[in-house]
Structure formats: C-alpha cells, structure tokens
Amino acid sequence: MEELKAAWQNMGAGHKSPEDLKTYLRKMPVRRGVLFQMILETTLFALFLVFYYDAFDGHKKPLYLNLLLAGAVGFVVLHNLTGIVQAMNVLKGKHLRDVLTAYSAHLKVFAAISVASRLAMYICLMLFFTYAIELNTFKVWVLIGAAFIFIAQMVVLVRTWLKRIDAADPGRFAGQ
Amino acid sequence: MIMDERQFLQQLAEHEGILFKICRLYRDTPEDREDLFQEIMYQLWKSLPGYEARSKFSTWLYKIALSTALVHFRRRRPAIVYMPALPEVPAQADENRLLELLAPLDAADKALMALYLEDLSYAEIAEITGITENNVGVRLNRIRARIKKHINASSWKN
C-alpha cells in the first residue's frame, strides 16, 4: 500500500496558469456550452409552440387537442427552464453523504417529471397529428416510424436518468 | 466573504494537484477531465461563502471536489482510439497501473481511496464523507484487500 500511496502522491498532476484559473472563474466556458445547449433546445420547443397552430392547421383540429398539445409542449419548456435555473445551483451539505442525500432526492423528482412530461408531449403530438386522417399504407409506416423514434428517445431518456440517479446514490456512503 | 478572488486563486494554485488527481480518477478522457475540472472550480467558487475558516481549506476542497465528481454528468462518451498495431512493449507508469487498480471501484470507494492515498487520517476521511471512523476503517480494509488480490494476480511492478 505504501507503493500505491507513493504512486498517487507522485502522480503527474498537471498545472493551470493563474490566467487559466481566472478565466474558468469568470467565464465558465464548459458551463456556458451546456447552458447554450439547454437554451437552444428550450427555444426550439418554444418556437414550435408559437408556430404550430398556423404551420400544422391547428384551426382544423378540435380545441381540446390544441390545448393538450400546447399544454404538454409548454410544460416541457417550463421544466427545461427550471433545469437551466437549477444548473446554476451549488451542491449543499456538511459532508459527501449529506450532499448526495439532498442531491439525489431532488434529482429523482426532476427525473420523474422529465420522463412524464416528455411522454405526455409525445402522446399529445401523436394524437394531434393523427386526428381525423385517413390512413393508407404510407401513413401507417410513417406513424410506425414516428412511434419507434419516440420510444427510442424515451428509452434513452430513462436510461440516462437511471444512470445519473445511481451515480448519486447516497447509499454508497451509508454508515454501518 | 472569507477570501477574495485573488486569495482564492492562490489557495487553489496550492491545491490544484488534488483536483487534477480527482479528475484523472473519475474521468477517462482529457476532455471529460477538463469538463470536471471546470465544474469543480465553479462549485468551489460558488460555495466559497459557505466555507468556514475553522475547518482546513483542504478538507473543504476535498468535500466539494469529490461531491462534484460523484454527481457531475458526463457529457461525452469515452473516445475509442483504434491503434494501427499493438504496441510492442507495454510501457506502463506506476500512476497508470494505480489508476487501473482503482478503476473497478465504485464512485464512493474511489473517494475513500483518494483520501486514504492522500494520507488523511480516518477522522479526516470521516469528516469529509459523513461516515463513522469505524466504518471508514472497515471499508478501507475491504477495498485494500480487493486491491491486494489484484496486485498479487498481476504484480504491481512490471
């Protein structure tokens, strides 16, 4: 074990210049990138919300379908916005176990809402676009393709959240 | 605030070695390590108002850095590099062998080992992780036993 300690303590650690460190503090380049991605996605959803009515003949669909679609997409936008705000938060807790307990509880709720809202949005999209259409072979295949893409996206989303929740499991620091 | 930006950067420069080691321990690619390093910097800077001078700066830094490493999302998949041919001599430095030995551990055990390898006392490790000193001892014994088994199987020095 002493050899391992020596290897750890002599590990080539690298060095950042004071200018680099200052840049990180003031500009947060990676965080900006992540935030940009989140803002871009939220903006695209919001744009869909603004233009879908004219672009996809919302006036030819019943009011309840318009409300369902607008509500579901609007909820995803709102949820994304809370995600952007929360990404600015700092980790809180006296020690690692505390930090993970608080973070994990919050993450589980956020993940559940994220999955439920995406699922609701996909269902509402399918209902909206399939309302009163006359099905033919081509349209059936398009629908199957769309359903396949939605299901694949949901699987990826659920797996991603499960991985994140597992990584932050406070049980890893449970006392004995 | 307990210290201004200049003092904070000075403290960070003194302790940046541990940040690099934590990034190497928890991330496989240089890009992921850079992401994690910057995220730790962000968390440290934003958490600074909560730092109480009665605890050591290094203890506080370990807590924030390890917490961030445990919860920070990995944005990129590990890059797969295809080599044109196998290297003739497997030249492995001790630090690479050490990281290989630590790689199979789960995230919490990695944190415990990092603090142990930094030569912190069980009391200090308990303070940072929030588990009892007794539990620190029990878990480190288990981890060391697992690592020793691997060392015996593959031999530490090539």
Side-chain angles (χ1 to χ4, degrees), chain B residues 60-72:
Chain B
W60 175 78
L61 181 133
Y62 285 130
K63 186 195 84 179
I64 306 282
L66 287 169
S67 303
T68 310
L70 285 165
V71 305
H72 181 238

Side-chain angles (χ1 to χ4, degrees), chain B residues 27-53:
Chain B
R27 294 294 184 269
D28 305 317
T29 65
E31 294 82 8
D32 274 342
R33 288 175 193 149
E34 179 67 21
D35 282 7
L36 180 57
F37 187 89
Q38 288 189 31
E39 184 61 22
I40 293 173
M41 287 276 297
Y42 175 84
Q43 291 290 341
L44 287 168
W45 179 237
K46 294 289 174 185
S47 305
L48 192 61
Y51 165 60
E52 294 163 355

Side-chain angles (χ1 to χ4, degrees), chain A residues 3 9 13 15-16 24 26, chain B residues 5 16 20 34 117 156:
Chain A
E3 280 183 336
Q9 282 159 18
H15 173 69
K16 298 274 184 197
Y24 289 163
R26 291 184 181 167
Chain B
E5 187 186 272
E16 69 174 353
F20 282 109
E34 179 67 21
L117 294 171
W156 165 242

Side-chain angles (χ1 to χ4, degrees), chain A residues 12-76:
Chain A
H15 173 69
K16 298 274 184 197
S17 69
E19 283 69 34
D20 282 344
L21 295 177
K22 220 179 263 181
T23 305
Y24 289 163
L25 282 196
R26 291 184 181 167
K27 295 187 179 160
M28 306 289 169
V30 170
R31 282 203 142 237
R32 281 191 174 192
V34 175
L35 280 179
F36 177 76
Q37 274 179 17
M38 292 170 84
I39 291 169
L40 181 69
E41 191 187 83
T42 308
T43 307
L44 289 176
F45 279 129
L47 282 175
F48 173 82
L49 211 50
V50 171
F51 294 113
Y52 92 89
Y53 192 82
D54 292 330
F56 301 110
D57 298 333
H59 58 281
K60 290 182 185 169
K61 315 274 182 179
L63 178 66
Y64 77 90
L65 272 183
N66 280 285
L67 288 177
L68 272 177
L69 184 64
V73 177
F75 191 81
V76 169

Side-chain angles (χ1 to χ4, degrees), chain B residues 69-133:
Chain B
L70 285 165
V71 305
H72 181 238
F73 302 153
R74 204 179 297 234
R75 284 198 305 144
R76 304 178 175 99
R77 288 173 176 279
I80 300 170
V81 180
Y82 295 98
M83 305 296 284
L86 286 174
E88 283 176 21
V89 183
Q92 285 183 322
D94 278 358
E95 59 187 55
N96 289 338
R97 286 283 291 121
L98 172 63
L99 290 170
E100 273 173 27
L101 287 168
L102 298 177
L105 301 178
D106 76 21
D109 286 348
K110 276 182 186 168
L112 287 168
M113 272 308 280
L115 297 171
Y116 167 76
L117 294 171
E118 278 294 316
D119 235 358
L120 268 65
S121 68
Y122 283 8
E124 286 172 308
I125 297 176
E127 188 191 336
I128 292 166
T129 57
I131 59 180
T132 63
E133 266 185 70

